[in-house]
Amino acid sequence: MTRMTAAEAAVHVLKKEGIDIAFGVPGAAINPFYSAMRKVGGVDHVLARHVEGASHMAEGYTRTKAGNIGVCIGTSGPAGTDMITGLYSATGDSIPILCITGQAPRSKLHKEDFQAVNIQAIAGPVTKWAVTVLEPAQVPRAFQQAFQLMRSSRPGPVLIDLPIDVQMSEIEFDPDTYEPLPAYKPSASRAQIEKALNLLNEADKPLLVAGGGVINSDASDLLVEFAELTGVPVVPTLMGWGTIPDDHPLMAGMVGLQTSHRYGNATMLASDFVMGIGNRWANRHTGSIEAYTKDRKFVHVDIEPTQIGRIFGPDYGIVSDAKAALELFITVAKEWQAEGKLKDRGAWAQECQERKQTLLRKTHFDDVPVKPQRVYEEMNKVFGKNVRYVTAIGLSQIAGAQFLHVYKPRHWINCGQAGPLGWTIPAALGVCRADPEAEVVALSGDYDFQFMVEELAAGAQFKLPYIHVLVNNSYLGLIRQAQRGFDMDYCVQLSFENVNCPEINDYGVDHVSVVEGLGCKALRVTKPDDIGPAFVQARQLMQEHRVPVVVEIILERVTNIAMGTDLDGVNEFEALVENVTDAPTSIASLT
């Protein structure tokens, strides 16, 4: 056997589990772990500027490629509490990340020692498992169990808290014979699949709702194959966007109160059957449950038993990993197809396509200041089908989901349930680290951008280039729009006269100077015709300097983006397309 510190054993386990990069900030109580990483080698490190930023980098890293698990590291006390937001975000979207924190010595845990906090108790509600390891010999097995838990059933994050004396204690451990534990994934039975397929086959206007679980299980190709076999149109959720390409003839559009398409909502309301696979029936997708479920039957397939019936009781539920279920769905569907048992869905699919080509929102505006719709039109023109979009929350995210196009899984990387402001920059850096050859384009409003703008320095230091589209209306735009119901515009304006930058009038923060001060490049655009050329120039700057490049676009101060409380009650505040030739970036021009 080999003697080593518990921290060294933990690093060996990380490597055996496939980890070669970590995001974090060192500190006194976690220094033994950093010493072990330095000694053992093989795990690279990106130094974040904020520990919450490190947790979101880990999220972006995980979300980029199937099988990835992001690791974030911090010291004791506030480092762990800072990472709670990242753990919450990861839990909400079923994203496995491993958070490692230092801790005060075991003898001091009950004495209110400096930066000693019960992080195990704090992190428990937002993780699959949170543990303070009190015995050095248990450290490698705690890490082994962490990886098994993160990969099993519904994926999610784990926090391991290591007292400093535990990290430094010597133990016996043989890394050469270490093996990861097998992950558990529930699988549907043939009888369950046949019953669900019977219900689908009886319907006249069925839909498939593809959730983030399809992407998590790396089953997007299977989802498309199943849709093509049955001829059933697909509605991706926000977390499932990219499971089927936007220009696929069976892609029926997104549904919901905010991040949705007019044609998607209309198709949902016209349907009589919905099979959800790997989705949660999130409230921003369903709106009023009464309106969403009226006059249609539901089958729900999900990896977590307690998700089935949580929002509403489906007509039939199946507990299964999405990939396992889809493999069996395809097997049975092929047999039924050979026997002539599957219905022809051609007329229904064509009806959905007609909506997709006509129920559109206008994007081409020549107004100055710029209307946000024009920004997304230009993004569609410049960035191709291989772009990876990263965004968080706000009117920018909502409008982006209404107007942008996504063609591949993991190419819309978005924190769906938690929606923390500031998520976008560090998550984009994690995406860049996971896929260095990708064209990564982030999208933020000015407040999301300002929340964790310091992480741009990490992008400059570690050569993580991407393009950040910053739409600036100097407002908390989504909150201002929500305040309309209270007849107020209160505490949401970010505008002020910047004495150092009079050329931006009262738009407040001089983002160009901030970005350049952090070692990155920035461009400012005020006219719609300059947006596309600025994106092209940003791409050139990014390739030349290998740093993040921010394109700030000065928007009109007040824009209301389409949203509502029910699928049949979405308010449209801007002009709609009356002729598809007026929508140069609509799906109609892509199919």
Side-chain angles (χ1 to χ4, degrees):
M1 295 290 287
T2 305
R3 287 194 68 78
M4 62 183 69
T5 68
E8 289 167 5
V11 175
H12 280 293
V13 173
L14 291 180
K15 292 173 62 179
K16 286 285 188 174
E17 296 284 354
I19 303 302
D20 61 7
I21 179 66
F23 308 89
V25 178
I30 196 65
N31 270 340
F33 194 89
Y34 274 86
S35 176
M37 285 202 298
R38 179 174 177 268
K39 180 178 178 180
V40 175
V43 179
D44 200 2
H45 184 267
V46 171
L47 177 62
R49 288 340 192 232
H50 191 293
V51 195
E52 181 186 341
S55 69
H56 298 324
M57 290 177 192
E59 283 189 81
Y61 182 85
T62 295
R63 294 172 191 250
T64 305
K65 288 186 178 180
N68 276 8
I69 292 183
V71 175
C72 50
I73 308 174
T75 191
S76 60
T81 57
D82 282 342
M83 287 192 273
I84 291 298
T85 301
L87 293 170
Y88 165 42
S89 176
T91 289
D93 294 340
S94 306
I95 303 299
I97 65 172
L98 177 60
C99 175
I100 304 167
T101 53
Q103 182 58 277
R106 287 170 288 179
S107 63
K108 302 287 189 180
L109 292 180
H110 63 294
K111 296 184 177 181
E112 296 188 1
D113 207 43
F114 177 68
Q115 293 189 336
V117 68
N118 188 352
I119 195 65
Q120 174 180 320
I122 294 170
V126 292
T127 57
K128 291 191 75 174
W129 185 42
V131 60
T132 298
V133 185
L134 299 177
E135 295 297 332
Q138 287 188 315
V139 169
R141 301 308 164 191
F143 277 78
Q144 186 178 39
Q145 184 174 357
F147 280 97
Q148 183 186 41
L149 283 170
M150 286 187 287
R151 294 175 176 135
S152 293
S153 298
R154 180 184 179 182
V158 166
L159 179 140
I160 297 180
D161 187 45
L162 299 173
I164 188 170
D165 56 326
V166 169
Q167 297 174 56
M168 298 173 69
S169 297
E170 285 199 345
I171 63 171
E172 297 284 351
F173 180 66
D174 181 8
D176 293 334
T177 58
Y178 175 91
E179 291 292 335
L181 296 174
Y184 167 72
K185 301 284 186 182
S187 299
S189 69
R190 185 180 177 95
Q192 291 171 326
I193 292 299
E194 288 181 343
K195 180 166 182 174
L197 202 52
N198 260 320
L199 289 168
L200 183 149
N201 215 30
E202 291 170 359
D204 292 322
K205 297 181 176 182
L207 292 173
L208 299 176
V209 169
V214 176
I215 291 177
N216 285 347
S217 64
D218 200 27
S220 298
D221 289 346
L222 295 175
L223 186 282
V224 173
E225 184 179 356
F226 179 54
E228 291 173 345
L229 268 172
T230 57
V232 177
V234 177
V235 168
T237 68
L238 182 67
M239 299 310 299
W241 199 11
T243 49
I244 185 169
D246 266 13
D247 57 356
H248 192 287
L250 289 175
M251 201 290 199
M254 283 197 291
V255 169
L257 307 181
Q258 296 176 338
T259 55
S260 60
H261 303 114
R262 293 179 64 215
Y263 49 88
N265 282 358
T267 288
M268 174 61 72
L269 293 170
S271 69
D272 62 1
F273 174 88
V274 177
M275 181 187 290
I277 303 177
N279 65 307
R280 294 187 299 109
W281 310 116
N283 63 302
R284 289 197 299 165
H285 167 78
T286 64
S288 161
I289 295 299
E290 182 180 1
Y292 188 83
T293 59
K294 185 180 179 182
D295 298 328
R296 56 190 61 87
K297 290 184 177 182
F298 287 85
V299 169
H300 191 194
V301 181
D302 196 82
I303 197 169
E304 184 181 346
T306 60
Q307 284 292 346
I308 296 174
R310 174 170 289 188
I311 308 301
F312 61 86
D315 295 272
Y316 188 58
I318 300 174
V319 179
S320 179
D321 169 63
K323 187 172 188 177
L326 284 165
E327 287 173 342
L328 200 47
F329 269 125
I330 289 168
T331 297
V332 176
K334 285 182 176 178
E335 294 173 3
W336 287 18
Q337 183 185 54
E339 297 167 9
K341 292 171 63 175
L342 291 180
K343 280 187 178 179
D344 183 353
R345 306 291 181 186
W348 167 236
Q350 181 58 37
E351 181 184 326
C352 296
Q353 278 295 305
E354 288 173 1
R355 294 189 195 93
K356 187 176 177 181
Q357 295 170 7
T358 55
L359 295 179
L360 303 169
R361 299 178 175 112
K362 183 177 177 180
T363 61
H364 195 78
F365 294 90
D366 293 320
D367 303 57
V368 177
V370 175
K371 294 187 82 65
Q373 293 84 352
R374 180 65 182 272
V375 177
Y376 308 110
E377 176 180 311
E378 298 298 329
M379 290 173 72
N380 283 327
K381 289 178 182 178
V382 174
F383 304 121
K385 291 187 175 183
N386 292 321
V387 63
R388 289 189 187 269
Y389 285 121
V390 185
T391 189
I393 189 64
L395 287 185
S396 55
Q397 176 245 20
I398 293 168
Q402 292 180 10
F403 296 109
L404 295 175
H405 299 303
V406 178
Y407 302 92
K408 297 180 180 180
R410 302 181 187 274
H411 282 233
W412 173 260
I413 296 175
N414 185 197
C415 52
Q417 183 176 351
L421 285 166
W423 190 89
T424 309
I425 293 175
L429 296 176
V431 173
C432 291
R433 186 58 179 78
D435 189 359
E437 302 305 315
E439 181 168 59
V440 178
V441 176
L443 171 63
S444 285
D446 41 306
Y447 210 43
D448 172 59
F449 186 78
Q450 291 174 22
F451 254 55
M452 301 204 77
V453 68
E454 72 276 3
E455 297 303 342
L456 286 175
Q461 180 180 355
F462 293 94
K463 301 297 182 185
L464 299 171
Y466 75 96
I467 295 173
H468 202 121
V469 179
L470 167 58
V471 285
N472 180 8
N473 66 349
S474 198
Y475 244 122
L476 301 185
L478 178 57
I479 309 307
R480 180 214 41 84
Q481 186 166 338
Q483 286 186 351
R484 293 173 73 250
F486 297 91
D487 192 26
M488 67 179 184
D489 182 330
Y490 184 61
C491 298
V492 290
Q493 295 204 27
L494 299 172
S495 61
F496 62 90
E497 290 188 13
N498 189 328
V499 297
N500 298 309
C501 190
E503 61 265 30
I504 60 173
N505 298 317
D506 62 346
Y507 272 70
V509 174
D510 178 2
H511 294 109
V512 170
S513 294
V514 172
V515 169
E516 290 178 344
L518 290 166
C520 302
K521 291 290 186 179
L523 305 169
R524 181 178 289 128
V525 177
T526 59
K527 298 177 181 178
D529 288 342
D530 295 337
I531 298 171
F535 290 155
V536 174
Q537 185 181 357
R539 183 183 282 150
Q540 295 168 346
L541 289 169
M542 180 185 67
Q543 293 170 349
E544 178 184 355
H545 298 285
R546 309 303 295 168
V547 298
V549 180
V550 175
V551 180
E552 178 188 40
I553 302 162
I554 303 298
L555 298 186
E556 62 184 8
R557 292 297 313 285
V558 175
T559 302
N560 294 310
I561 301 298
M563 62 182 73
T565 57
D566 299 304
L567 298 188
D568 55 357
V570 172
N571 296 313
E572 300 288 345
F573 297 95
E574 296 287 354
L576 303 176
V577 172
E578 297 180 3
N579 185 326
V580 293
T581 58
D582 294 333
T585 61
S586 72
I587 283 293
S589 67
L590 300 172
T591 55

